[in-house]
Amino acid sequence: MRARVAAAAARAGRAPDAVQLVAVSKTHPAEAVLAALAEGQVLFGENRVQEAATKFPALRPAHPAMRLHIIGGLQTNKARDAVRLADVIEVVDRPRLADAIAEAIQKEGRSPDLLVQVNVGDEPQKSGIPTAEADGFIEACRGRFGASLTGLMCIPPAEGDPGPHFAWLAACAARHGLAVLSMGMSGDFEAAIAQGATHVRVGTAIFGHRG
Ligand SMILES: *Cc1c(COP(=O)(O)O)cnc(C)c1O
């Protein structure tokens, strides 16, 4: 999988190490994470804080380079657990969640990197800040979190060409001087890399289908 990511980067005229692979291990057991670690994979993504809590802390001592990204919709009452567990929280998408994360950072004395999730298709059922509110929310988060705010994340609509949505997110990140662009999953990571993704979140294509 990392070879496919590097090849897509090369086709886009980008450096082979320009794009990092986040292996999405949700629903797969800790053994699957261990097998990936053994192959040199260090970045992992989990949707649910509770599931991450059962798998990852035990693996940390033996794998200090491992990094955990929280990538699924986060309830405010899980913010403190997320701040304690995660290295990156990719789903900051509303003021109340930003409040909860700020409070958790204070209490835990620990600051994960943060990404603002944008609802690039403005789909009613999806999480993410609406596109019309994105600039203001990103500015507010930068004021509040400073350098901990490192980038943007999106999940484009399932139907249609994701390319324009990826391009929109890349332009938004550039406007705000944010370096990290988490976009692209099993079905569309090559298109995301063509538009500047720095992180792709791939589950099925690495671990197989989720039961
Ligand atoms: C599950 C998930 C992925 C991985 O999806 P695949 O299609 O299995 O690669 C990526 N990002 C998010 C936010 C997810 O929830």
Side-chain angles (χ1 to χ4, degrees), residues 24 26 47 71 153 155 185-186 201-204 210:
V24 178
K26 66 188 182 199
N47 267 39
I71 62 171
M153 177 271 212
I155 307 171
M185 320 199 322
S186 291
R201 308 175 309 269
V202 179
T204 312
R210 293 179 281 273

Side-chain angles (χ1 to χ4, degrees), residues 76-166:
T76 51
N77 65 5
K78 296 277 165 41
R80 187 152 180 196
D81 290 336
V83 164
R84 183 164 50 233
L85 281 167
D87 300 290
V88 185
I89 297 176
E90 299 203 8
V91 291
V92 185
D93 69 348
R94 58 198 190 275
R96 282 199 49 224
L97 179 60
D99 291 345
I101 289 173
E103 190 183 328
I105 287 171
Q106 283 268 301
K107 288 189 171 144
E108 293 292 328
R110 179 172 199 279
S111 280
D113 285 349
L114 302 173
L115 307 186
V116 166
Q117 180 179 359
V118 183
N119 185 357
V120 285
D122 289 316
E123 298 171 278
Q125 81 284 10
K126 276 225 178 111
S127 44
I129 190 88
T131 53
E133 296 164 34
D135 284 317
F137 183 63
I138 292 164
E139 274 314 304
C141 286
R142 179 179 337 258
R144 173 167 225 180
F145 298 112
S148 292
L149 179 71
T150 58
L152 305 180
M153 177 271 212
C154 76
I155 307 171
E159 304 296 320
D161 179 5
H165 295 290
F166 293 146

Side-chain angles (χ1 to χ4, degrees), residues 5 19-23 183-185 189 192-193 197-202:
V5 169
V19 186
Q20 303 202 42
L21 175 60
V22 178
M183 54 189 200
M185 320 199 322
F189 70 90
I193 289 170
T198 63
H199 292 70
V200 293
R201 308 175 309 269
V202 179

